[in-house]
Amino acid sequence: MDKLSRFWYELEFEKAYMKRSGNSFQDLFCEIMERGYPNDFQRVRPWGKYGDKKNDGYLKSKRMLFQIYAPNYISQEKTLAKIEEDFNGALPYWQDYFDQWIFTHNSRQGLSPVVLKKLLELEKSNPGLKCPSWGYVEISNELFALNDTDIELILGPAPSIADLLETGYPELRTVLGAISEIEPLSNQDLSPVSDKKLSSN
């Protein structure tokens, strides 16, 4: 992967991280982990009346249990309630199998200090267990530890420097021809931009 492809994939991942929520975000996370840890990471889905026992994914070799929370908007109160419910729901069923309960989220800005304190309190009241949170950086690190083929399967193809160098007039002629056939927009405001707006920008 060259520098252009890497930059492209970083933009694509950031866009996916910020736009996906709920099951779509969970699918993205689980696909990254499944490709990174084949025959080791196991996604867990709700199963009839049994649900998923508050386990969205399990990494056996590292004894990590993942709980994924990816709403459209993260509310502090709802997040605290979610952590309390999911941790206490997972503990009696899975406690013999995990040493880390990982709160995995889709907040690009991070978590509030109150939420962080809640995770630290869970660790303090459950000696031997760690309760870290995973967000943008942690998931990005897992993605870019994959090989190029797996990254492409997750995020799609990316342009490379070689692609740019190989682009010549025949390719540009096709693009320019398509542009020339587009009807111009009517009623466009072509008045000069104010000095205040230019200065502000």
Side-chain angles (χ1 to χ4, degrees), residues 106-160:
N106 67 336
S107 173
R108 185 70 172 92
Q109 292 74 36
L111 301 174
S112 77
V114 177
V115 172
L116 173 58
K117 184 181 178 185
K118 179 63 179 178
L119 294 172
L120 293 172
E121 287 172 348
L122 289 178
E123 286 189 357
K124 187 176 180 180
S125 59
N126 294 274
L129 287 181
K130 296 296 182 183
C131 299
S133 66
W134 276 28
Y136 181 84
V137 170
E138 292 79 9
I139 301 172
S140 175
N141 287 342
E142 293 293 337
L143 172 69
F144 288 107
L146 302 177
N147 62 51
D148 292 357
T149 300
D150 283 338
I151 294 174
E152 182 174 346
L153 288 170
I154 293 170
L155 296 178
S160 66

Side-chain angles (χ1 to χ4, degrees), residues 16 32 36 77 95 101 103 118 134 143 146-147 155-156 176 194:
I32 292 170
E77 291 73 21
Q95 61 183 335
W101 184 85
F103 183 69
K118 179 63 179 178
W134 276 28
L143 172 69
L146 302 177
N147 62 51
L155 296 178
L176 294 173
S194 73

